[in-house]
Amino acid sequence: MLQIRKEKTTKSTFIMGIFCGAILMLCLINIFRYFGISITVSGNAATQAYDKTKTIEKCIKKYYQGDYTEEDLANGAAKGMVSSLGDKYSAYYTQSEYDEKLKDINGSYVGIGVTLQQKEDGSIAVTKVTAGGPAQKAGMQAGDIFKAVAGTDLTGKSLNEVVSLIKNDKNEGKTFVIDILRTKEGEEQRLSLQVSCEKVNVISVESKQIGNAGYIRITEFDNETDEQFSKAVTALEKEEIKGLVIDVRDNGGGSLESAIHMLNRLLPKGDLITEKSKKDGDKVYHSDDKESYKKPMVVLINGNSASASEVFAGTLKTRGVATLIGTKSFGKGIVQTLFSLKGSCGGGLKLTTAKYYLPNGESIHKKGIEPDEVIEYTKEESIQKDTAELEKEDTQLQRGLQIIEGQ
């Protein structure tokens, strides 16, 4: 679960003052060393890091046979410093990595609007085409196999390499010829599609009516998810349905703020979650009762439902308004904050800054959330079966629909 923090100018100035002071101190230390004057500064991480990195840098310059840049070394040192915390959720990002991270949170990117998957034989298959996106406009379909992009043969390419050819801010407005292999009625045909790269808004919420139930699937929590969710709930409220089945299976989380807004849309006045941090202490989030959903709800979860997904599902369960179906969730009850370092050393930091607790005071970190009904289901990855077939095989979804239908 992510938050984004931008420091105020006065604080940035203060930090820069400390940074410049540290650099001045390091310069003085080196001058003193040059003249044989020994100074010991204990407990200063910056000084110790300087000593170690300078020694290592000298060894690399003298003995290392491979290629590298000064920036590579600096970035590696920064990444190593954060990784030494032993927290798999904290990280240092280079500027390009940080910018890419922000795109994921903001809910938009420059690309063609497809979801790709690398199959066992190494081929790159389209598993989803974004409605209204450039790929759909060009005629691309789920099941198509990418063969070449702008004349570049994709044989032996990794998924990341293929994505990087297309998903890039510099490609906005450009048109690519993408060669695909499509199987139709048992026959293969090779097609060349002209696809433009545009700004694509991520659709993280899908909704429809299944029988007498409204079904809403949330694939991630980004800055656009809460608005998409609110529109879906409002639209389904106008239909003759008995309740909602909300699917957060395989949703790894994302924006805490978005999850809070979505809970506020569903719940009457009351506590949502408590966030505990070193800097701000205890912060309790509340629903304001401006809107609420009064019909029954079922939430589908599994072992890949994490972070913001667990906030969402756990709060609805604890407040007594939803039945949880599926398997125990992942168990990530901590919050990460993104800090931009663009104005100082460049790049950005993702640090674990808080823990969250459900309305009953329970922490689910490393424990997960137990569903009200445990039902096992392993999704079959198949691009041959249509949606209706997959839904019928989905035992967790079918149980959720059954609960709503029985109301």
Side-chain angles (χ1 to χ4, degrees), residues 94-167:
T94 64
Q95 193 60 54
S96 61
E97 290 170 340
Y98 181 78
D99 292 341
E100 195 64 33
K101 193 71 178 176
L102 285 182
K103 290 178 195 174
D104 293 338
I105 298 169
N106 290 334
S108 63
Y109 63 93
V110 173
I112 63 172
V114 294
T115 301
L116 300 176
Q117 177 188 56
Q118 189 150 31
K119 301 171 73 176
E120 290 184 5
D121 62 5
S123 62
I124 306 296
V126 177
T127 58
K128 180 182 176 182
V129 180
T130 301
Q136 187 189 58
K137 293 175 184 177
M140 195 169 290
Q141 301 175 7
D144 290 344
I145 304 295
F146 274 34
K147 302 301 291 184
V149 174
T152 301
D153 183 15
L154 303 183
T155 303
K157 299 281 187 185
S158 69
L159 180 61
N160 287 338
E161 288 175 315
V162 175
V163 170
S164 65
L165 287 173
I166 304 167
K167 190 180 176 184

